[in-house]
Amino acid sequence: MFPALCRLQMLEAICKHWEGPISLALYLSDAEAQQFLRYAQGSEVLMSRGNVGYHIVYKEGQFYPVNLLRNVAMRQVNTPYMFLSDIDFLPMYGLYEYLRKSVVLLDMANAKKALVVPAFETLRYRLSYPKSKAELLSQLDMGTLFTFRYHVWTKGHAPTNFAKWRTATTPYKVQWEADFEPYVMVRRDSPEYDRRFVGFGWNKVAHIMELDAQEYEFVVLPNAYMIHMPHAPSFDITKFRSNKQYRVCLKTLKEEFQQNMSRRYGFAALKYMTAENNS
């Protein structure tokens, strides 16, 4: 997980929802690192935890190196499996234990699998967090919750198949599609993120594409969920929306990444080029 300093209040909430180990990468200046230290030392919730690792990357340059931070956090993981999340998400209560059981049930030790935790979002700063799937579905029907990025980028999570998830009672496989970017649990030896992607755009899409190229199976968990909490737009998404040159550079980087995939995976990577051309 990789917070900006202004979102650190989420960390305490996450700790209340997730009792397992956490590897947290922070992108801070010297002054912000001192501020974070005071914040953590003054937090009863954080000080009571002995299984949270804080890994500071000091600020440099104008872009937010999101994938570098993800890799820093991943490299410090000392458990066999890791759930790859972001600071803006609150996992459901009990997700840690549910994932531990799913590891055994789905024989993760002997198979390349990425377990998908369906992602939802709320636009409300005060949310009565659903304590069960039934409660979540009720809030979804009432319009308190939405599937994640439903309003702006449905392709990112459409392959999760939320319609099927509503009634699913057992894990089910889904196929990779263009722009798929679910939140997943994988083995610790899974591929790292491509650190060339900085700021906003394609940073997770490229990682999921890499998992698919390495023949990972995407398996959606029927009783798992996480909820994105609202926050002010990031500086990077604002630049993406307002700066044409930013978008041109991202397009060039995407093409470079796809060419790299073709060289590494040969004919099998052709579908990524085709999918991008058709999207």
Short mmCIF file of all heavy atoms in Angstrom, two decimals, residues 82-138:
data_model
loop_
_atom_site.label_atom_id
_atom_site.label_comp_id
_atom_site.label_asym_id
_atom_site.label_seq_id
_atom_site.Cartn_x
_atom_site.Cartn_y
_atom_site.Cartn_z
N MET A 82 0.77 -12.45 -0.86
CA MET A 82 0.57 -11.03 -0.60
C MET A 82 -0.68 -10.54 -1.33
O MET A 82 -0.93 -10.91 -2.49
CB MET A 82 1.79 -10.21 -1.01
CG MET A 82 2.30 -10.47 -2.41
SD MET A 82 3.91 -9.72 -2.70
CE MET A 82 4.20 -10.21 -4.40
N PHE A 83 -1.45 -9.74 -0.64
CA PHE A 83 -2.63 -9.10 -1.21
C PHE A 83 -2.23 -7.69 -1.60
O PHE A 83 -1.82 -6.89 -0.75
CB PHE A 83 -3.76 -9.09 -0.17
CG PHE A 83 -4.98 -8.31 -0.59
CD1 PHE A 83 -5.53 -8.47 -1.85
CD2 PHE A 83 -5.58 -7.40 0.27
CE1 PHE A 83 -6.64 -7.75 -2.26
CE2 PHE A 83 -6.69 -6.68 -0.11
CZ PHE A 83 -7.23 -6.85 -1.37
N LEU A 84 -2.33 -7.37 -2.89
CA LEU A 84 -1.85 -6.10 -3.42
C LEU A 84 -2.98 -5.07 -3.41
O LEU A 84 -3.91 -5.15 -4.22
CB LEU A 84 -1.31 -6.30 -4.85
CG LEU A 84 -0.28 -7.44 -4.98
CD1 LEU A 84 0.11 -7.64 -6.44
CD2 LEU A 84 0.96 -7.15 -4.13
N SER A 85 -2.88 -4.11 -2.52
CA SER A 85 -3.95 -3.14 -2.35
C SER A 85 -3.40 -1.72 -2.39
O SER A 85 -2.20 -1.52 -2.55
CB SER A 85 -4.68 -3.40 -1.02
OG SER A 85 -5.81 -2.56 -0.89
N ASP A 86 -4.29 -0.76 -2.27
CA ASP A 86 -3.91 0.65 -2.22
C ASP A 86 -4.50 1.29 -0.96
O ASP A 86 -5.47 0.79 -0.39
CB ASP A 86 -4.42 1.40 -3.46
CG ASP A 86 -3.61 1.08 -4.71
OD1 ASP A 86 -2.40 0.81 -4.58
OD2 ASP A 86 -4.18 1.10 -5.81
N ILE A 87 -3.94 2.41 -0.57
CA ILE A 87 -4.28 3.06 0.70
C ILE A 87 -5.73 3.54 0.75
O ILE A 87 -6.30 3.72 1.82
CB ILE A 87 -3.32 4.24 0.98
CG1 ILE A 87 -3.41 4.71 2.44
CG2 ILE A 87 -3.56 5.39 0.02
CD1 ILE A 87 -2.87 3.74 3.44
N ASP A 88 -6.37 3.74 -0.40
CA ASP A 88 -7.73 4.28 -0.43
C ASP A 88 -8.81 3.23 -0.20
O ASP A 88 -9.99 3.57 -0.17
CB ASP A 88 -7.99 4.99 -1.77
CG ASP A 88 -6.95 6.05 -2.07
OD1 ASP A 88 -6.62 6.80 -1.14
OD2 ASP A 88 -6.47 6.12 -3.20
N PHE A 89 -8.41 1.97 -0.09
CA PHE A 89 -9.38 0.89 0.05
C PHE A 89 -9.45 0.36 1.47
O PHE A 89 -8.42 0.13 2.11
CB PHE A 89 -9.01 -0.28 -0.87
CG PHE A 89 -9.44 -0.11 -2.29
CD1 PHE A 89 -8.60 0.48 -3.21
CD2 PHE A 89 -10.70 -0.53 -2.71
CE1 PHE A 89 -8.99 0.64 -4.53
CE2 PHE A 89 -11.10 -0.38 -4.02
CZ PHE A 89 -10.26 0.21 -4.94
N LEU A 90 -10.68 0.11 1.92
CA LEU A 90 -10.90 -0.59 3.18
C LEU A 90 -11.30 -2.03 2.85
O LEU A 90 -12.33 -2.25 2.21
CB LEU A 90 -12.02 0.07 3.99
CG LEU A 90 -11.64 1.25 4.89
CD1 LEU A 90 -12.87 1.73 5.66
CD2 LEU A 90 -10.53 0.87 5.86
N PRO A 91 -10.51 -3.01 3.29
CA PRO A 91 -10.90 -4.40 3.07
C PRO A 91 -12.06 -4.77 3.98
O PRO A 91 -12.25 -4.16 5.05
CB PRO A 91 -9.64 -5.18 3.44
CG PRO A 91 -8.94 -4.30 4.43
CD PRO A 91 -9.24 -2.88 4.03
N MET A 92 -12.82 -5.75 3.59
CA MET A 92 -13.92 -6.19 4.45
C MET A 92 -13.36 -6.74 5.75
O MET A 92 -12.21 -7.20 5.82
CB MET A 92 -14.74 -7.27 3.73
CG MET A 92 -14.04 -8.62 3.63
SD MET A 92 -15.11 -9.88 2.90
CE MET A 92 -14.27 -11.38 3.47
N TYR A 93 -14.17 -6.69 6.79
CA TYR A 93 -13.77 -7.31 8.05
C TYR A 93 -13.58 -8.80 7.82
O TYR A 93 -14.40 -9.45 7.17
CB TYR A 93 -14.85 -7.10 9.12
CG TYR A 93 -15.02 -5.67 9.56
CD1 TYR A 93 -16.14 -4.93 9.17
CD2 TYR A 93 -14.08 -5.05 10.38
CE1 TYR A 93 -16.31 -3.62 9.58
CE2 TYR A 93 -14.23 -3.73 10.79
CZ TYR A 93 -15.35 -3.02 10.38
OH TYR A 93 -15.51 -1.71 10.78
N GLY A 94 -12.47 -9.34 8.31
CA GLY A 94 -12.22 -10.77 8.19
C GLY A 94 -11.58 -11.20 6.89
O GLY A 94 -11.41 -12.40 6.64
N LEU A 95 -11.20 -10.24 6.03
CA LEU A 95 -10.62 -10.62 4.74
C LEU A 95 -9.32 -11.39 4.91
O LEU A 95 -9.05 -12.34 4.18
CB LEU A 95 -10.38 -9.38 3.87
CG LEU A 95 -9.79 -9.66 2.47
CD1 LEU A 95 -10.71 -10.55 1.66
CD2 LEU A 95 -9.50 -8.36 1.73
N TYR A 96 -8.52 -11.02 5.89
CA TYR A 96 -7.23 -11.69 6.10
C TYR A 96 -7.42 -13.19 6.33
O TYR A 96 -6.79 -14.01 5.67
CB TYR A 96 -6.50 -11.04 7.28
CG TYR A 96 -5.21 -11.73 7.67
CD1 TYR A 96 -4.15 -11.79 6.79
CD2 TYR A 96 -5.07 -12.31 8.94
CE1 TYR A 96 -2.95 -12.43 7.15
CE2 TYR A 96 -3.89 -12.94 9.30
CZ TYR A 96 -2.84 -13.00 8.41
OH TYR A 96 -1.67 -13.63 8.76
N GLU A 97 -8.33 -13.54 7.22
CA GLU A 97 -8.56 -14.97 7.50
C GLU A 97 -9.19 -15.67 6.30
O GLU A 97 -8.89 -16.82 6.00
CB GLU A 97 -9.44 -15.13 8.74
CG GLU A 97 -8.68 -15.00 10.05
CD GLU A 97 -7.50 -15.98 10.16
OE1 GLU A 97 -7.63 -17.15 9.73
OE2 GLU A 97 -6.43 -15.57 10.66
N TYR A 98 -10.08 -14.97 5.61
CA TYR A 98 -10.73 -15.55 4.43
C TYR A 98 -9.70 -15.86 3.35
O TYR A 98 -9.75 -16.92 2.71
CB TYR A 98 -11.79 -14.57 3.91
CG TYR A 98 -12.55 -15.06 2.69
CD1 TYR A 98 -13.30 -16.23 2.71
CD2 TYR A 98 -12.52 -14.33 1.50
CE1 TYR A 98 -14.01 -16.66 1.59
CE2 TYR A 98 -13.22 -14.76 0.38
CZ TYR A 98 -13.96 -15.92 0.43
OH TYR A 98 -14.65 -16.34 -0.68
N LEU A 99 -8.74 -14.96 3.15
CA LEU A 99 -7.69 -15.20 2.16
C LEU A 99 -6.79 -16.36 2.59
O LEU A 99 -6.37 -17.17 1.74
CB LEU A 99 -6.86 -13.94 1.96
CG LEU A 99 -7.56 -12.77 1.24
CD1 LEU A 99 -6.64 -11.56 1.14
CD2 LEU A 99 -8.04 -13.17 -0.15
N ARG A 100 -6.50 -16.45 3.87
CA ARG A 100 -5.67 -17.56 4.37
C ARG A 100 -6.33 -18.90 4.07
O ARG A 100 -5.67 -19.86 3.66
CB ARG A 100 -5.43 -17.41 5.87
CG ARG A 100 -4.36 -16.37 6.21
CD ARG A 100 -4.36 -16.03 7.69
NE ARG A 100 -4.13 -17.18 8.53
CZ ARG A 100 -2.93 -17.58 8.97
NH1 ARG A 100 -1.85 -16.90 8.62
NH2 ARG A 100 -2.80 -18.62 9.76
N LYS A 101 -7.63 -18.97 4.27
CA LYS A 101 -8.35 -20.21 3.99
C LYS A 101 -8.43 -20.49 2.48
O LYS A 101 -8.34 -21.64 2.04
CB LYS A 101 -9.76 -20.13 4.58
CG LYS A 101 -9.78 -20.15 6.10
CD LYS A 101 -11.17 -19.93 6.66
CE LYS A 101 -11.16 -19.89 8.18
NZ LYS A 101 -12.49 -19.55 8.75
N SER A 102 -8.56 -19.42 1.69
CA SER A 102 -8.64 -19.57 0.24
C SER A 102 -7.34 -20.11 -0.34
O SER A 102 -7.36 -20.85 -1.34
CB SER A 102 -9.00 -18.23 -0.41
OG SER A 102 -10.26 -17.77 0.03
N VAL A 103 -6.21 -19.75 0.27
CA VAL A 103 -4.91 -20.25 -0.16
C VAL A 103 -4.89 -21.77 -0.15
O VAL A 103 -4.43 -22.42 -1.09
CB VAL A 103 -3.79 -19.69 0.76
CG1 VAL A 103 -2.52 -20.52 0.63
CG2 VAL A 103 -3.49 -18.25 0.42
N VAL A 104 -5.43 -22.34 0.91
CA VAL A 104 -5.44 -23.80 1.05
C VAL A 104 -6.49 -24.41 0.12
O VAL A 104 -6.21 -25.36 -0.62
CB VAL A 104 -5.75 -24.19 2.52
CG1 VAL A 104 -5.82 -25.72 2.66
CG2 VAL A 104 -4.70 -23.61 3.45
N LEU A 105 -7.68 -23.82 0.12
CA LEU A 105 -8.78 -24.33 -0.69
C LEU A 105 -8.43 -24.39 -2.17
O LEU A 105 -8.79 -25.34 -2.87
CB LEU A 105 -10.02 -23.45 -0.47
CG LEU A 105 -11.28 -23.80 -1.27
CD1 LEU A 105 -11.87 -25.12 -0.78
CD2 LEU A 105 -12.32 -22.69 -1.17
N LEU A 106 -7.72 -23.37 -2.65
CA LEU A 106 -7.42 -23.26 -4.07
C LEU A 106 -6.01 -23.72 -4.43
O LEU A 106 -5.53 -23.48 -5.54
CB LEU A 106 -7.64 -21.81 -4.53
CG LEU A 106 -9.11 -21.36 -4.42
CD1 LEU A 106 -9.23 -19.86 -4.59
CD2 LEU A 106 -9.97 -22.08 -5.45
N ASP A 107 -5.33 -24.34 -3.47
CA ASP A 107 -4.00 -24.93 -3.71
C ASP A 107 -3.04 -23.93 -4.33
O ASP A 107 -2.36 -24.22 -5.33
CB ASP A 107 -4.15 -26.17 -4.61
CG ASP A 107 -2.88 -27.02 -4.63
OD1 ASP A 107 -2.11 -26.97 -3.65
OD2 ASP A 107 -2.63 -27.70 -5.64
N MET A 108 -2.99 -22.75 -3.75
CA MET A 108 -2.14 -21.68 -4.28
C MET A 108 -0.66 -22.06 -4.33
O MET A 108 0.10 -21.55 -5.15
CB MET A 108 -2.31 -20.42 -3.43
CG MET A 108 -3.63 -19.71 -3.60
SD MET A 108 -3.61 -18.57 -4.99
CE MET A 108 -2.56 -17.25 -4.36
N ALA A 109 -0.24 -22.94 -3.43
CA ALA A 109 1.18 -23.29 -3.35
C ALA A 109 1.66 -24.00 -4.61
O ALA A 109 2.85 -23.94 -4.95
CB ALA A 109 1.44 -24.16 -2.12
N ASN A 110 0.75 -24.65 -5.32
CA ASN A 110 1.14 -25.46 -6.46
C ASN A 110 0.56 -24.98 -7.78
O ASN A 110 0.56 -25.72 -8.77
CB ASN A 110 0.71 -26.92 -6.22
CG ASN A 110 1.36 -27.51 -4.99
OD1 ASN A 110 2.58 -27.51 -4.88
ND2 ASN A 110 0.55 -27.97 -4.04
N ALA A 111 0.05 -23.76 -7.80
CA ALA A 111 -0.57 -23.25 -9.03
C ALA A 111 -0.35 -21.75 -9.15
O ALA A 111 -0.24 -21.05 -8.15
CB ALA A 111 -2.07 -23.56 -9.03
N LYS A 112 -0.27 -21.31 -10.38
CA LYS A 112 -0.15 -19.86 -10.64
C LYS A 112 -1.55 -19.27 -10.66
O LYS A 112 -2.26 -19.36 -11.68
CB LYS A 112 0.54 -19.61 -11.98
CG LYS A 112 2.04 -19.75 -11.95
CD LYS A 112 2.61 -19.35 -13.31
CE LYS A 112 4.12 -19.28 -13.30
NZ LYS A 112 4.65 -18.85 -14.61
N LYS A 113 -1.96 -18.71 -9.55
CA LYS A 113 -3.29 -18.13 -9.45
C LYS A 113 -3.22 -16.73 -8.87
O LYS A 113 -2.38 -16.45 -8.01
CB LYS A 113 -4.21 -19.00 -8.58
CG LYS A 113 -4.54 -20.34 -9.22
CD LYS A 113 -5.46 -21.17 -8.34
CE LYS A 113 -5.78 -22.49 -9.01
NZ LYS A 113 -6.61 -23.38 -8.17
N ALA A 114 -4.10 -15.88 -9.35
CA ALA A 114 -4.29 -14.54 -8.79
C ALA A 114 -5.73 -14.48 -8.29
O ALA A 114 -6.67 -14.56 -9.09
CB ALA A 114 -4.04 -13.47 -9.84
N LEU A 115 -5.90 -14.40 -6.99
CA LEU A 115 -7.23 -14.39 -6.40
C LEU A 115 -7.78 -12.97 -6.41
O LEU A 115 -7.18 -12.06 -5.82
CB LEU A 115 -7.21 -14.94 -4.97
CG LEU A 115 -6.59 -16.33 -4.80
CD1 LEU A 115 -6.83 -16.85 -3.40
CD2 LEU A 115 -7.10 -17.31 -5.85
N VAL A 116 -8.89 -12.77 -7.09
CA VAL A 116 -9.47 -11.44 -7.27
C VAL A 116 -10.43 -11.12 -6.13
O VAL A 116 -11.36 -11.88 -5.85
CB VAL A 116 -10.23 -11.37 -8.62
CG1 VAL A 116 -10.92 -10.02 -8.78
CG2 VAL A 116 -9.27 -11.64 -9.78
N VAL A 117 -10.18 -9.97 -5.49
CA VAL A 117 -11.10 -9.45 -4.47
C VAL A 117 -11.92 -8.35 -5.15
O VAL A 117 -11.38 -7.30 -5.49
CB VAL A 117 -10.33 -8.89 -3.27
CG1 VAL A 117 -11.28 -8.23 -2.27
CG2 VAL A 117 -9.52 -10.00 -2.58
N PRO A 118 -13.22 -8.58 -5.36
CA PRO A 118 -14.04 -7.58 -6.05
C PRO A 118 -14.00 -6.22 -5.35
O PRO A 118 -14.06 -6.14 -4.12
CB PRO A 118 -15.45 -8.19 -6.01
CG PRO A 118 -15.19 -9.67 -5.98
CD PRO A 118 -13.98 -9.82 -5.10
N ALA A 119 -13.90 -5.17 -6.17
CA ALA A 119 -13.74 -3.81 -5.64
C ALA A 119 -15.00 -2.98 -5.87
O ALA A 119 -15.58 -2.99 -6.96
CB ALA A 119 -12.54 -3.13 -6.32
N PHE A 120 -15.38 -2.27 -4.83
CA PHE A 120 -16.54 -1.39 -4.87
C PHE A 120 -16.10 0.00 -4.43
O PHE A 120 -14.96 0.20 -4.00
CB PHE A 120 -17.65 -1.94 -3.96
CG PHE A 120 -18.12 -3.30 -4.38
CD1 PHE A 120 -17.46 -4.45 -3.96
CD2 PHE A 120 -19.22 -3.45 -5.23
CE1 PHE A 120 -17.87 -5.72 -4.37
CE2 PHE A 120 -19.65 -4.69 -5.64
CZ PHE A 120 -18.97 -5.82 -5.22
N GLU A 121 -17.01 0.97 -4.52
CA GLU A 121 -16.67 2.32 -4.08
C GLU A 121 -17.90 3.01 -3.51
O GLU A 121 -19.04 2.65 -3.83
CB GLU A 121 -16.10 3.15 -5.22
CG GLU A 121 -17.09 3.51 -6.32
CD GLU A 121 -16.47 4.38 -7.40
OE1 GLU A 121 -15.30 4.74 -7.28
OE2 GLU A 121 -17.18 4.72 -8.36
N THR A 122 -17.63 3.97 -2.65
CA THR A 122 -18.69 4.84 -2.16
C THR A 122 -18.28 6.29 -2.41
O THR A 122 -17.09 6.61 -2.44
CB THR A 122 -18.95 4.63 -0.66
OG1 THR A 122 -20.00 5.50 -0.23
CG2 THR A 122 -17.70 4.94 0.18
N LEU A 123 -19.27 7.13 -2.63
CA LEU A 123 -19.01 8.56 -2.79
C LEU A 123 -19.27 9.29 -1.48
O LEU A 123 -19.15 10.51 -1.42
CB LEU A 123 -19.90 9.12 -3.91
CG LEU A 123 -19.77 8.41 -5.26
CD1 LEU A 123 -20.71 9.04 -6.30
CD2 LEU A 123 -18.32 8.45 -5.76
N ARG A 124 -19.62 8.54 -0.43
CA ARG A 124 -19.94 9.12 0.86
C ARG A 124 -18.74 9.04 1.81
O ARG A 124 -18.12 7.97 1.93
CB ARG A 124 -21.13 8.40 1.50
CG ARG A 124 -22.39 8.44 0.63
CD ARG A 124 -23.56 7.81 1.34
NE ARG A 124 -24.77 7.87 0.52
CZ ARG A 124 -25.97 7.53 0.96
NH1 ARG A 124 -26.13 7.09 2.20
NH2 ARG A 124 -27.02 7.61 0.15
N TYR A 125 -18.44 10.15 2.45
CA TYR A 125 -17.32 10.16 3.39
C TYR A 125 -17.65 9.41 4.67
O TYR A 125 -16.76 8.91 5.36
CB TYR A 125 -16.89 11.60 3.69
CG TYR A 125 -16.07 12.22 2.57
CD1 TYR A 125 -16.70 12.84 1.49
CD2 TYR A 125 -14.69 12.14 2.57
CE1 TYR A 125 -15.95 13.38 0.45
CE2 TYR A 125 -13.93 12.68 1.53
CZ TYR A 125 -14.58 13.30 0.47
OH TYR A 125 -13.84 13.83 -0.56
N ARG A 126 -18.92 9.34 4.99
CA ARG A 126 -19.35 8.57 6.16
C ARG A 126 -20.15 7.37 5.65
O ARG A 126 -21.24 7.52 5.11
CB ARG A 126 -20.20 9.43 7.10
CG ARG A 126 -19.40 10.50 7.82
CD ARG A 126 -20.27 11.26 8.83
NE ARG A 126 -19.49 12.24 9.56
CZ ARG A 126 -18.79 11.98 10.66
NH1 ARG A 126 -18.76 10.75 11.14
NH2 ARG A 126 -18.11 12.93 11.28
N LEU A 127 -19.61 6.19 5.83
CA LEU A 127 -20.24 4.98 5.34
C LEU A 127 -20.41 3.99 6.48
O LEU A 127 -19.48 3.77 7.26
CB LEU A 127 -19.37 4.33 4.24
CG LEU A 127 -19.82 2.96 3.74
CD1 LEU A 127 -21.08 3.10 2.88
CD2 LEU A 127 -18.71 2.28 2.96
N SER A 128 -21.59 3.41 6.58
CA SER A 128 -21.79 2.29 7.49
C SER A 128 -21.25 1.06 6.78
O SER A 128 -21.90 0.50 5.90
CB SER A 128 -23.29 2.13 7.81
OG SER A 128 -23.49 0.99 8.61
N TYR A 129 -20.04 0.66 7.15
CA TYR A 129 -19.35 -0.38 6.39
C TYR A 129 -20.10 -1.70 6.47
O TYR A 129 -20.42 -2.17 7.57
CB TYR A 129 -17.91 -0.56 6.90
CG TYR A 129 -17.03 -1.27 5.90
CD1 TYR A 129 -16.23 -0.56 5.02
CD2 TYR A 129 -17.03 -2.66 5.82
CE1 TYR A 129 -15.43 -1.21 4.08
CE2 TYR A 129 -16.25 -3.31 4.88
CZ TYR A 129 -15.45 -2.58 4.01
OH TYR A 129 -14.68 -3.22 3.08
N PRO A 130 -20.41 -2.31 5.32
CA PRO A 130 -21.18 -3.56 5.33
C PRO A 130 -20.39 -4.69 5.99
O PRO A 130 -19.23 -4.92 5.67
CB PRO A 130 -21.42 -3.84 3.85
CG PRO A 130 -20.34 -3.10 3.13
CD PRO A 130 -20.07 -1.88 3.95
N LYS A 131 -21.04 -5.38 6.90
CA LYS A 131 -20.37 -6.45 7.64
C LYS A 131 -20.58 -7.82 7.00
O LYS A 131 -20.11 -8.83 7.53
CB LYS A 131 -20.86 -6.45 9.09
CG LYS A 131 -20.43 -5.19 9.86
CD LYS A 131 -20.88 -5.25 11.31
CE LYS A 131 -20.29 -4.09 12.10
NZ LYS A 131 -20.69 -2.78 11.58
N SER A 132 -21.28 -7.86 5.87
CA SER A 132 -21.50 -9.12 5.17
C SER A 132 -21.75 -8.83 3.69
O SER A 132 -22.03 -7.68 3.31
CB SER A 132 -22.71 -9.86 5.75
OG SER A 132 -23.89 -9.12 5.49
N LYS A 133 -21.68 -9.86 2.87
CA LYS A 133 -21.98 -9.71 1.45
C LYS A 133 -23.43 -9.29 1.26
O LYS A 133 -23.74 -8.45 0.40
CB LYS A 133 -21.71 -11.03 0.73
CG LYS A 133 -22.00 -11.01 -0.77
CD LYS A 133 -21.59 -12.31 -1.44
CE LYS A 133 -21.92 -12.31 -2.92
NZ LYS A 133 -21.46 -13.54 -3.60
N ALA A 134 -24.34 -9.82 2.08
CA ALA A 134 -25.75 -9.47 1.98
C ALA A 134 -25.96 -7.97 2.23
O ALA A 134 -26.71 -7.31 1.51
CB ALA A 134 -26.58 -10.29 2.97
N GLU A 135 -25.25 -7.44 3.23
CA GLU A 135 -25.34 -6.00 3.52
C GLU A 135 -24.77 -5.19 2.36
O GLU A 135 -25.32 -4.15 1.99
CB GLU A 135 -24.58 -5.66 4.81
CG GLU A 135 -25.38 -5.86 6.08
CD GLU A 135 -24.67 -5.29 7.30
OE1 GLU A 135 -23.96 -4.26 7.16
OE2 GLU A 135 -24.81 -5.88 8.38
N LEU A 136 -23.67 -5.66 1.81
CA LEU A 136 -23.06 -4.94 0.68
C LEU A 136 -24.02 -4.91 -0.51
O LEU A 136 -24.20 -3.86 -1.13
CB LEU A 136 -21.74 -5.60 0.29
CG LEU A 136 -21.01 -4.93 -0.88
CD1 LEU A 136 -19.51 -4.85 -0.62
CD2 LEU A 136 -21.25 -5.68 -2.20
N LEU A 137 -24.64 -6.03 -0.82
CA LEU A 137 -25.57 -6.07 -1.95
C LEU A 137 -26.75 -5.15 -1.72
O LEU A 137 -27.24 -4.50 -2.65
CB LEU A 137 -26.04 -7.51 -2.18
CG LEU A 137 -24.97 -8.48 -2.71
CD1 LEU A 137 -25.53 -9.89 -2.78
CD2 LEU A 137 -24.45 -8.04 -4.07
N SER A 138 -27.20 -5.06 -0.48
CA SER A 138 -28.30 -4.15 -0.15
C SER A 138 -27.90 -2.70 -0.40
O SER A 138 -28.65 -1.92 -0.99
CB SER A 138 -28.71 -4.34 1.32
OG SER A 138 -29.71 -3.41 1.68
#
